[in-house]
């Protein structure tokens, strides 16, 4: 099965951490000859797995990953929220500099769709469950509007980490 990629828009930078939305729920995107929409809960099953943060979907430019704790993902009412600790690497410094200037195109995500993960009505596809493989900072134009990325100068307080866990548990029990 080929990995599909979807892009999102709006990038802002203010520091060493990036945070924002890699995907948003309920917004239609035109993909080739069909329209696609992501439903709340679509990423729920992927939140426990190892997901990479890349630049332009390139596995040679890893910015972080959930397994190491440098990428944190959670679903909320808006979409797939992420927090990413930017590494002191060439790619990390470049992404941060471009984000601070507002030169990046947005966020994207790479995924596959399990058998029961989509519903079709004519040329409209609803994603209800996906296997998320990666999120990417992209320099081009995104397919999905409404996603955000913000860079922050300070590390989050330790109290923020339990909030992400609580948000995940909340979403698991509600959907």
């Amino acid at each position: 099965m080929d990995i599909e990629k979807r892009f999102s828009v709006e990038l802002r930078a203010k520091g060493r951490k990036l945070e924002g939305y890699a995907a948003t729920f309920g917004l239609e995107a035109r993909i080739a000859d069909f329209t696609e929409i992501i439903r709340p809960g679509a990423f729920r099953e992927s939140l426990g797995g190892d997901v990479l943060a890349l630049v332009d979907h390139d596995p040679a430019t890893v910015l972080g990953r959930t397994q190491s704790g440098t990428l944190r993902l959670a679903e909320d009412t808006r979409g797939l929220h992420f927090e990413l600790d930017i590494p002191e690497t060439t790619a990390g410094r470049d992404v941060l500099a471009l984000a601070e200037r507002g030169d990046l195109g947005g966020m994207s995500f790479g995924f596959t769709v399990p058998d029961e993960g989509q519903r079709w009505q004519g040329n409209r596809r609803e994603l209800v469950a996906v296997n998320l493989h990666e999120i990417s900072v992209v320099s081009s134009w995104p397919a999905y509007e409404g996603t955000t990325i913000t860079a922050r100068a300070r590390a989050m307080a330790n109290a923020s980490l339990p909030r992400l866990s609580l948000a995940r548990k909340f979403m698991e029990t509600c959907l």
Side-chain angles (χ1 to χ4, degrees):
M1 182 179 282
D2 291 334
I3 293 179
E4 297 184 47
K5 297 171 184 163
R6 298 294 182 268
F7 301 91
S8 312
V9 78
E10 193 182 332
L11 294 172
R12 289 181 302 225
K14 297 177 187 170
R16 292 292 315 156
K17 285 186 182 282
L18 296 181
E19 70 174 329
Y21 287 87
T24 51
F25 300 136
L27 298 177
E28 291 188 352
R30 185 79 177 154
I31 311 294
D33 62 343
F34 64 94
T35 302
E36 186 175 80
I37 190 167
I38 306 168
R39 292 292 175 208
F43 299 100
R44 181 177 46 227
E45 295 300 319
S46 296
L47 294 180
D50 189 26
V51 178
L52 299 175
L54 306 174
V55 177
D56 287 321
H57 301 286
D58 181 358
T61 55
V62 175
L63 296 174
R65 69 188 316 149
T66 56
Q67 186 176 42
S68 68
T70 55
L71 171 63
R72 294 163 299 281
L73 298 170
E75 277 195 8
D76 63 19
T77 57
R78 183 172 178 192
L80 180 63
H81 185 264
F82 74 93
E83 294 178 354
L84 174 62
D85 302 329
I86 297 297
E88 280 291 336
T89 62
T90 301
R93 287 186 294 274
D94 289 350
V95 163
L96 192 57
L98 291 170
E100 287 171 347
R101 289 169 33 130
D103 289 342
L104 294 174
M107 291 299 296
S108 179
F109 57 100
F111 65 99
T112 54
V113 182
D115 291 338
E116 301 299 318
Q118 60 188 340
R119 293 189 292 242
W120 284 93
Q121 288 184 323
N123 65 346
R124 183 170 194 240
R125 175 165 93 160
E126 291 185 347
L127 295 174
V128 295
V130 300
N131 298 319
L132 183 65
H133 301 284
E134 51 93 3
I135 67 169
S136 283
V137 176
V138 294
S139 55
S140 62
W141 299 277
Y144 281 96
E145 294 186 16
T147 62
T148 60
I149 183 169
T150 304
R152 298 186 318 164
R154 288 187 176 165
M156 291 181 57
N158 289 338
S160 297
L161 294 177
R163 278 194 328 224
L164 285 175
S165 297
L166 289 173
R168 279 191 194 114
K169 288 181 194 246
F170 173 77
M171 293 303 293
E172 289 169 1
T173 58
C174 290
L175 299 172

